[in-house]
Structure formats: C-alpha cells, structure tokens
Amino acid sequence: MKLLVLCALVAAAAAWPNFGMMADSPGGASDAQKQHDVNNILWKIYGEIRDPHLKELSQTFDPLSGHYDDGGVSARRLMKELNDERLLEQKHWFSLFNTRQRQEALMLYDVLEHSTDWDTFAGNAAFFRVRMNEGEFVYAIYAAVVHSHLTEHVVLPPLYEVTPHLFTNSGAIQAAYKAKMTQTAVTIKSQFTGSKSNPEQRVAYFGEDIGMNTHHVTWHLEFPFWWDDAHEDHHIDRKGESFFWVHHQLTVRFDAERLSNYLDPVDELHWDDVIYEGFAPHTMYKYGGSFPSRQDNVQFVDVAGVAQVRDMVLLENRIRDAIAHGYITGRDGTVISIMNSHGIDILGDVIESSTYSPNHEYYGSLHNTAHIMLGRQGDPHGKFDLPPGVLEHFETATRDPAFFRLHKYMDAIFREHKDSLTPYTKEDLEFTGVSVHSITFNNKLTTFFEDFKYSLINAVDDSPQAQDVPIYAVIPRLANNEFKIDYRIDNNNEREVMATMRVFMWPKYDNNKVEFSFNEGRWHAIEMDKFWVKLSPGENSLTRSSKDSAITVPDVPSFQTLINKTKEAMTSGSEDMAVAGLHESTSFNHYGCHDGKYPDKKPHGYPLDRRVDDERIITGVSNFKAMDIKVFHTE
C-alpha cells in the first residue's frame, strides 16, 4: 500500500467545530428522560409498549393538542390520513424507495420535527407507535432524533438490535425463535450468504458487515435525499458532494478488499449488459416473506411502474452531456456552471437525485431509480408479488455485490466530471514554509477477524407463555490492531499556523501486479484520516492514534447498555448515560455538523480529487510526503 500525507493550510476564516454538550436540555425534559422514552418507544417495536407512562400516552394523547412551530399543520395532515384509513397497515414491509410509504413516514417525521416540547414529541411517538406501520414509524423516529433540536443528546440504539431481520440471516432468526419457544438462552453463530464455491464470498465480510450496513443507513439518515430546505431550519452544506464522496470511498475500499483476496476490481454495471453475479440474500422480512433472489447473468429489463431501461440510458446521456458541456440546465432554463470546485456538489444532487437537484424533471433520479431497477430484476413485472429486494433498503443494499457495481458505474460518471477540471497547480497545493519531514509507524499494521455479539431479543415475538431469554447472534468482523503514527513537521514561518493533515492510502499494484500510475492510484485512494493541528515555529512532533481517526467511530452501545445506563442516570440524577465522546465523534465523522455546516472548505479528496498529469506537481511540494507500507492479515 502507498501512504500519502498532505499538510494543507486552514483558511483563517474557517471556524473550529464545537461539539460541546449543552448545559440545558431544550423541550422541558432531562436528557435522561428523553433517552428513556426513545429507548422504550423502540423496544419490541412489533409488540406492545412496555413502559406504563408511554403506554398510557398511546391511548390518551391527542396529537392536535400538542405544541408545534408550524401551527399544527403537520399533525392535522397526518391525523386526516389516519382517520381516512389511508395509512399502510401494520405488519407489512416498508421501503423508503416506495413513494407513498416514504410520504407517510415523512408525515410522522414532520409532526415530530415540528414539536416544540418533549411532551408533544413523546406523546406523538407513543400515539403513532401503536397506529402506524412499524417500518414507517422506526424510520420517522430515527430521522427525527437525528435532526430535531429536542433530541440533540439522545443516542439511538443500534438498528441491528431494533430491526434485526434486516441485518441477520434467516437461519439465525429461525434459531432465535426456537430459543424463545424453548426458553433457552443461546448465542447463535450467524453466517454470511453464499458458499465457498462463490468467489464473492471472499469479501462478504465487507458488504455484509453490520457496522458498514449501519454506517450506510446512518449516512442516508443524516443526508436524506428528501430533505427540503423550505420545510427545515437549515441547509445541509455540500450534500451532493458528500453523496459522491461517501459512495466513492465505499467503492474504492471494496476494490482494495477484493485485491487483498485475489479478486479483480468490480466492473461497472451497464444498462445494455447482463448482471453477471446473482445474489441470494438468505434474509427475510419480519412480515412479508423472504428477500428476493437474482440469478446469474440476468439481462436488465423494464420494471413495471418504475422505469424502462431506455429511460435510464436517456438520463445517463443527459448527465454525461451536461458534464461535456460543463453546465447543468436549471428547470427555469438557467445555465449553472459545474466547471469549478462546487460543480461536484451540484452533480451529486442531480445524480442522486435529491430535492436539491436544480432540474429533477429533466435529469431525473438516476441513483434512486437505479436502486429500484436493480432490486426488482428478480421479479420485474410483479408476477410473483415479491417484496422489495435488498437494494431497496439502505440497511441491506451493500449485502448485494451488485451494489458496488452500480456505484462503480456512477463513480465513473463523477470521475468524468472531475477529470474535466483543470488540475491543481503548485500554487494550489503548497503551504509556504511548512514541510512534512518524516512519518513513522510505531508498530506493524495488522488486520484480523474478531467475533461481534449483538442481541436478537427484538427479532422474536412476545407471548404470555414465553418470557424473554438472552438470545444473541455472533458474527466475525474485520478489525485491526491499534497503531500510532508519529509525524515530524517543520514550520519555517515566524508565526504559529493552523494546518489540516490529510492522510490517504491506496493499493500499490493492480490485480495484474502492475504498479498503479500516480494518476490512476490517486482515484483509488482511501481516506485514512483528516485532522487539524496548530504548528508552532520550528520543528513540530505529533502522534496520532488510529482510534482517533476522523473516519472511525465507536460502535453504538448495545440497546441493553443504553437501557441500563439510562436507568442509572435517572436514578442518580446524572446526565451521563452514554459513551464518552460518542456525540462528538458521530456528529463530525459522518461528514458534517448538526447544523448542516461542513467544517472544511477544500473539496472532498483534495488534492487527489483532480487528475494529475504530472505527479511531480504534487510530490514536489514540501508539505506532501509519500511512503510504502505493508498491511498484514493474521488468522
């Protein structure tokens, strides 16, 4: 692997991010009380509410009596849909890509988001918990907790313990039901899909990792494509660019894992070509049957009620035409240049397509529609009335290797745009007076698999005859030893300067053992860290632990841990109910702050995001340092 470090100037006007805990909790309730209510409203989502107070609220609270900053418009709209019996029934699958189901979930999100006090928020949560579809309810609660000011310090329980069916293979789920029926405490060894005869099984640990699945769905909760500034209190900064970057990073990381397992990089999907790899999810919905399978060598066909293949080709051509011309045409006919650093942000909004797209009618929704098109190829005409495929859920999408082929296809479109921009010059890259003198790793870089255990108690139904018993799933997850990097940086300026350290790593060789050129390698670069540092005049020595990396976050505490710590906090009167630093790290590391602002002015991937015609332009500046490193895997 090749490691590259760039020390870049931080603009003087850039604000340092502040993620300090607020002393006062808005909304008239303590943080501990809010955590308690969220815990209980999400526990056993398909069963009855167990908390007496919330259970009473579910029957006595009147949403129209609540306090809202929209005058109660959202509450009245949802109540009318409920009273007119238009809402999706309970015990039915839910998909965010289903337009009507998404609208219903967002109706509840609006009610919660516009609640101005905790009594109103909690009352609505309890009331609609027992009346709305469970999937819609869970999505609305998670989205509201992520974005509401009332829940700034609430820690959401891990989704894989709230809706385990979306993260666990069906064999483990069936074993969990047996354990509940026989009242036997058990730890079930869960398996990845497929078999050793399928080469894709070698990298199933990546696409099916529950931490990665959680990251993917969490990112889309924090940067939702449905976010509308007209109804929210802030604009999400660089949302389209972040869409590009986070999926680009998933794609290049997956390719790196493949190279490490003697597999070729993934090929792009194309609308006029076959989907070579099939996929059998081996997972089931809680209600609604099993996730559909797809055979090998399936040709893309039209999907009834969604799109025709030719529509997808047309949208792709319109977007590529815009890149070739260097501008997007707005819905009012205005010319919007993308030949600048901001162009990737506009293009990301167009390709996804989010509500930020300047012309959704013309450029369509390439990403979202493609997910449905690919997910439905097992039953494209609805002949067998199958539920949505794994590609139609952010929780499950990466389980299908075709997810990465789909995003490789879109990544190539993004690269087409990036390569059309003028390469960075020496003046764009250098940091006058600053040089990276040396980089030293304090120990060997090693990866290994370790067992990860999580609860399946919410996967099984309740009954008066069978009490809850401890039921866990255990699955291997890729991990690495902690390592530290020592940096020695010289600041030859006569004053203290603020700098951004950017660390990237890419495979040195391709699948044919040919060394990547700098220009090709930099597109495969994996962002390893990014942090700010004050450099005093003279020699500066700093040490950075892998645990502090900007791209890593701790696992969310287990559901039971949150419940226990919340109980302790409420008993003692303390607000400290979560893991130290959890709020800070999760707020920043998903590429943004709680107010929607991104605390960095450089493009994602700078300075490797633009083509490099001559690598000496980058390697020749003193604030850049490269070295070869080896990563070892131990069994």
Side-chain angles (χ1 to χ4, degrees):
M1 304 288 282
K2 185 179 287 292
L3 183 80
L4 305 102
V5 177
L6 181 82
C7 187
L9 176 68
V10 174
W16 284 78
N18 181 5
F19 305 107
M21 297 286 285
M22 295 175 61
D24 298 319
S25 179
S30 69
D31 286 338
Q33 182 65 51
K34 293 177 182 180
Q35 186 72 54
H36 168 85
D37 291 344
V38 170
N39 289 346
N40 281 277
I41 211 69
L42 289 171
W43 182 258
K44 293 283 187 177
I45 193 66
Y46 291 97
E48 294 185 1
I49 300 175
R50 295 191 176 186
D51 179 75
H53 175 63
L54 291 173
K55 188 172 184 177
E56 181 182 0
L57 276 181
S58 72
Q59 302 303 318
T60 61
F61 182 77
D62 178 9
L64 300 183
S65 69
H67 301 93
Y68 307 98
D69 58 17
D70 68 345
V73 172
S74 300
R76 289 193 294 273
R77 179 174 63 237
L78 182 54
M79 284 300 294
K80 185 176 189 313
E81 295 292 311
L82 175 65
N83 293 330
D84 290 346
E85 299 182 352
R86 285 175 45 82
L87 299 180
L88 180 66
E89 67 266 28
Q90 292 188 326
K91 295 179 171 54
H92 187 287
W93 56 261
F94 160 73
S95 171
L96 191 68
F97 288 100
N98 181 294
T99 303
R100 173 60 190 178
Q101 293 179 3
R102 179 174 68 253
Q103 290 171 346
E104 292 180 9
L106 293 183
M107 287 181 199
L108 176 56
Y109 163 79
D110 285 340
V111 173
L112 299 170
E113 179 67 12
H114 288 295
S115 298
T116 56
D117 58 67
W118 188 248
D119 287 344
T120 301
F121 189 105
N124 278 308
F127 180 88
F128 289 107
R129 152 76 189 264
V130 301
R131 292 170 176 82
M132 285 190 68
N133 173 269
E134 298 87 351
E136 293 180 348
F137 178 83
V138 169
Y139 184 82
I141 289 290
Y142 268 73
V145 170
V146 167
H147 292 286
S148 174
H149 293 296
L150 292 176
T151 52
E152 186 175 347
H153 300 142
V154 171
V155 178
L156 284 162
L159 266 171
Y160 48 80
E161 292 191 335
V162 175
T163 55
H165 284 72
L166 296 178
F167 299 85
T168 312
N169 72 39
S170 54
I173 296 293
Q174 290 166 350
Y177 271 101
K178 180 180 178 180
K180 178 68 176 285
M181 291 173 61
T182 60
Q183 291 287 278
T184 305
V186 67
T187 297
I188 304 159
K189 188 167 180 61
S190 189
Q191 304 290 333
F192 298 122
T193 60
S195 67
K196 290 184 179 180
S197 62
N198 178 6
E200 295 297 323
Q201 182 69 12
R202 298 182 207 166
V203 287
Y205 65 84
F206 183 75
E208 297 181 32
D209 178 74
I210 60 172
M212 217 274 283
N213 298 155
T214 302
H215 160 70
H216 187 230
V217 67
T218 300
W219 186 90
H220 280 283
L221 277 164
E222 294 182 346
F223 292 77
F225 62 85
W226 47 260
W227 185 270
D228 187 350
D229 288 359
H231 300 105
E232 308 296 343
D233 63 355
H234 66 267
H235 176 82
I236 299 180
D237 194 29
R238 295 167 63 172
K239 186 157 75 75
E241 183 187 9
S242 292
F243 168 79
F244 147 69
W245 183 245
V246 74
H247 291 92
H248 171 71
Q249 285 293 289
L250 286 178
T251 302
V252 298
R253 173 63 189 273
F254 186 59
D255 272 348
E257 296 297 333
R258 295 178 68 85
L259 289 174
S260 299
N261 285 277
Y262 308 102
L263 293 172
D264 292 343
V266 294
D267 292 323
E268 301 174 28
L269 281 180
H270 292 286
W271 302 112
D272 58 354
D273 199 359
V274 297
I275 310 166
Y276 293 103
E277 295 86 6
F279 181 61
H282 290 199
T283 49
M284 63 175 69
Y285 286 90
K286 173 71 173 178
Y287 298 101
S290 297
F291 280 87
S293 298
R294 183 186 64 252
Q295 297 297 315
D296 287 339
N297 301 315
V298 171
Q299 185 81 39
F300 267 113
V301 295
D302 301 342
V303 174
V306 177
Q308 296 180 324
V309 175
R310 67 183 182 186
D311 295 333
M312 307 306 292
V313 175
L314 181 63
L315 294 179
E316 176 189 339
N317 289 339
R318 287 176 177 175
I319 293 170
R320 289 189 183 275
D321 187 61
I323 292 172
H325 283 88
Y327 64 86
I328 296 290
T329 302
R331 61 174 54 91
D332 59 355
T334 55
V335 173
I336 306 170
S337 175
I338 57 174
M339 296 299 292
N340 49 52
S341 295
H342 183 60
I344 188 68
D345 190 39
I346 300 170
L347 191 61
D349 290 331
V350 166
I351 289 177
E352 188 176 14
S353 141
S354 75
T355 55
Y356 285 3
S357 172
N359 197 342
H360 175 81
E361 293 77 12
Y362 183 70
Y363 296 107
S365 180
L366 185 66
H367 168 264
N368 292 353
T369 307
H371 264 264
I372 304 174
M373 289 285 286
L374 182 55
R376 297 282 179 89
Q377 290 305 305
D379 185 25
H381 306 301
K383 178 180 179 180
F384 306 107
D385 194 27
L386 297 180
V390 295
L391 269 299
E392 296 175 75
H393 302 273
F394 290 129
E395 298 94 326
T396 58
T398 63
R399 297 174 69 90
D400 188 341
F403 167 88
F404 297 98
R405 286 150 178 76
L406 176 64
H407 277 280
K408 194 75 168 286
Y409 153 73
M410 280 177 268
D411 200 52
I413 299 176
F414 283 120
R415 182 174 184 176
E416 195 171 309
H417 160 69
K418 282 288 190 176
D419 283 353
S420 72
L421 301 177
T422 304
Y424 293 117
T425 64
K426 182 181 179 182
E427 289 71 27
D428 295 326
L429 301 171
E430 65 182 355
F431 191 164
T432 303
V434 172
S435 62
V436 181
H437 186 272
S438 66
I439 311 165
T440 306
F441 286 80
N442 70 348
N443 58 334
K444 183 178 177 180
L445 303 186
T446 305
T447 65
F448 52 89
F449 285 101
E450 64 180 7
D451 284 344
F452 181 79
K453 188 167 75 170
Y454 61 100
S455 175
L456 292 182
I457 196 169
N458 284 332
V460 296
D461 296 323
D462 283 336
S463 72
Q465 295 77 27
Q467 298 298 314
D468 285 334
V469 293
I471 305 173
Y472 292 94
V474 63
I475 194 163
R477 296 181 68 190
L478 186 67
N480 64 275
N481 65 320
E482 181 184 5
F483 60 88
K484 294 181 179 179
I485 307 179
D486 297 322
Y487 300 95
R488 190 177 135 202
I489 304 169
D490 296 328
N491 175 15
N492 295 319
N493 297 287
E494 295 181 353
R495 68 187 190 286
E496 184 181 73
V497 296
M498 224 190 285
T500 304
M501 299 290 293
R502 306 172 192 274
V503 185
F504 300 92
M505 185 167 67
W506 74 61
K508 186 172 183 177
Y509 301 102
D510 67 13
N511 51 309
N512 294 315
K513 304 300 181 184
V514 176
E515 185 171 351
F516 280 114
S517 67
F518 192 97
N519 185 54
E520 194 58 34
R522 56 96 197 174
W523 189 255
H524 294 274
I526 302 166
E527 183 178 4
M528 300 301 294
D529 201 358
K530 179 168 61 177
F531 59 97
W532 291 274
V533 61
K534 290 182 179 180
L535 300 176
S536 301
E539 181 179 305
N540 292 259
S541 296
L542 59 135
T543 300
R544 179 80 167 174
S545 169
S546 57
K547 289 186 175 181
D548 297 327
S549 169
I551 65 163
T552 63
V553 292
D555 283 312
V556 176
S558 70
F559 207 155
Q560 192 59 54
T561 298
L562 284 177
I563 291 172
N564 294 343
K565 285 188 172 289
T566 303
K567 188 179 297 184
E568 292 172 11
M570 295 187 71
T571 302
S572 66
S574 166
E575 298 299 324
D576 181 15
M577 70 202 72
V579 173
L582 182 69
H583 301 291
E584 293 88 337
S585 57
T586 54
S587 293
F588 175 70
N589 288 326
H590 284 113
Y591 303 102
C593 305
H594 68 278
D595 62 356
K597 299 296 183 184
Y598 187 79
D600 185 9
K601 292 186 177 180
K602 293 294 186 183
H604 289 316
Y606 168 87
L608 305 177
D609 60 312
R610 296 194 185 185
R611 75 175 194 270
V612 179
D613 295 336
D614 187 337
E615 67 179 86
R616 292 173 296 181
I617 296 291
I618 290 184
T619 59
V621 296
S622 63
N623 51 307
F624 177 96
K625 187 79 172 177
M627 65 182 295
D628 289 347
I629 61 172
K630 288 186 177 181
V631 181
F632 299 87
H633 181 75
T634 60
E635 292 295 341

